[in-house]
Amino acid sequence: MNRTKGIFFGILAAFIYGFTPILGKMSYMEGSNSLSLTFYRNFLSIPLLFFMLKFNNIPVKINKIETKKLAVLSSLGPTLTALTLYGSFNYISVGMSTTIHYIYPVLVTAACIMIFKEKVSKEIIVALILSTIGVMMFLEGNFSLLGVFLSFVSGVIFAAHLIYIDKSGLNSMYPFKITFYLSIFSSVYLFLFGILSRTLVFDITPVGWLFTLSVAFFASFLANSFILIGVKHAGPTITSIVGMFEPITSIILGIIFLKEPLTVRNIIACILILAGVLIVSIVKDKKNDTEINIE
């Protein structure tokens, strides 16, 4: 297990997850909506993932057990998490939404301790507390209760997604192969729901399609695969903590592209989150009974 590699890809995935919501929200102004964006994000990434598998000579075939596990997993992260998170953008800002979404590291850690009886080191607890305080400091101002609820639910579902990857044994499968099937299953779920609910739209402007293609490439193709690599090498808890780079990315890009003000509160929040990530990095190679039992 290479935790350095896992942390690197976890941070990289968080960075991508941090800027793609901005592209997604911009696509709404070009005729799209949350369900359509989620569907196209998964559907358009399938050819890229298939090419990646063939290029690396990875067998595409899966057995019945793997099919069932992938069908369950695809209903979590790429489907329900994306739907609830993207849906919250209609009611609250991208920065606030991604911040609330980051309740999931707390949930992942709590589940691993209470349900799976995993041991967590004092350093990881400190990192988790610092990062959580940092995330909570981003919450301020007026907001929509529905938007907050949707973003919170997205965090709960994503926590289940990370844990399921680790506990189901799917993390031993080639990452792009997992993402390939997640995109297929999720596309089927979303297409059927979109047609039945009449919420799937096709009349999107060229600029909107450009935003959608970008989200598909970066989020579904790259970030979804990177998060799998992170969980495989660093485990769900550490991956979820370093993933807190996502709200930092959203805040910084909001300042750059949306001209949002940079406050002292946000600076302190970023420092706390970075401190938590640094602690995780420092203790990553400890080999004793106090570290997280994620192997």
Side-chain angles (χ1 to χ4, degrees), residues 13 42 61 73 107 130 137 148 159-160 231 239:
N42 286 282
K61 186 178 181 180
L73 185 63
L107 301 176
L130 290 176
M137 288 185 67
V148 170
V231 173
T239 301

Side-chain angles (χ1 to χ4, degrees), residues 13-283:
F15 174 77
I16 295 173
Y17 283 139
F19 77 77
T20 51
I22 295 177
L23 299 176
K25 191 164 186 176
M26 293 172 69
S27 74
Y28 296 172
M29 295 181 286
E30 303 296 331
S32 187
N33 57 38
S34 57
L35 184 136
S36 299
L37 177 64
T38 308
F39 167 72
Y40 291 123
R41 165 187 135 161
N42 286 282
F43 181 73
L44 294 174
S45 67
I46 293 175
L48 295 172
L49 293 164
F50 182 76
F51 172 78
M52 182 63 69
L53 294 177
K54 289 299 182 181
F55 180 78
N56 290 281
N57 295 316
I58 304 298
V60 179
K61 186 178 181 180
I62 55 176
N63 58 44
K64 291 183 179 180
I65 296 177
E66 291 172 334
T67 300
K68 292 179 180 179
K69 290 180 178 180
L70 289 167
V72 172
L73 185 63
S74 64
S75 69
L76 299 174
T79 303
L80 294 177
T81 296
L83 276 177
T84 50
L85 183 61
Y86 289 165
S88 68
F89 297 162
N90 293 309
Y91 305 98
I92 57 179
S93 68
V94 170
M96 178 175 286
S97 181
T98 53
T99 298
I100 298 172
H101 171 76
Y102 267 82
I103 190 65
Y104 78 77
V106 179
L107 301 176
V108 169
T109 303
C112 288
I113 294 173
M114 295 186 293
I115 300 176
F116 302 105
K117 309 302 180 183
E118 293 186 354
K119 297 178 182 179
V120 180
S121 68
K122 294 180 181 179
E123 293 92 340
I124 295 298
I125 293 295
V126 171
L128 186 63
I129 292 174
L130 290 176
S131 298
T132 302
I133 293 175
V135 166
M136 296 305 295
M137 288 185 67
F138 282 124
L139 298 178
E140 57 181 337
N142 298 321
F143 54 84
S144 164
L145 184 60
L146 178 57
V148 170
F149 174 76
L150 288 172
S151 55
F152 175 80
V153 171
S154 74
V156 173
I157 298 172
F158 194 67
H161 176 83
L162 288 179
I163 294 173
Y164 191 79
I165 292 172
D166 187 58
K167 303 305 178 182
S168 65
L170 287 174
N171 57 2
S172 62
M173 187 182 294
Y174 188 69
F176 284 101
K177 184 175 181 178
I178 298 177
T179 310
F180 174 67
Y181 280 101
L182 293 187
S183 296
I184 291 176
F185 280 116
S186 182
S187 295
V188 172
Y189 298 154
L190 293 165
F191 179 78
L192 293 176
F193 181 78
I195 294 299
L196 293 174
S197 62
R198 298 182 179 180
T199 52
L200 182 62
V201 298
F202 302 93
D203 187 17
I204 303 175
T205 69
V207 174
W209 281 115
L210 179 61
F211 291 146
T212 302
L213 283 169
S214 298
V215 172
F217 175 75
F218 287 109
S220 290
F221 178 60
L222 292 182
N224 282 357
S225 297
F226 291 164
I227 202 72
L228 293 169
I229 298 174
V231 173
K232 179 178 180 179
H233 292 284
T237 303
I238 291 180
T239 301
S240 66
I241 293 176
V242 299
M244 287 185 176
F245 269 112
E246 181 177 336
I248 295 179
T249 301
S250 295
I251 293 296
I252 293 175
L253 293 181
I255 294 171
I256 296 174
F257 294 104
L258 304 178
K259 307 303 180 181
E260 295 178 351
L262 178 62
T263 65
V264 174
R265 182 190 182 100
N266 288 345
I267 294 176
I268 295 175
C270 289
I271 292 174
L272 289 174
I273 294 174
L274 289 172
V277 174
L278 179 61
I279 290 174
V280 171
S281 301
I282 291 174
V283 303

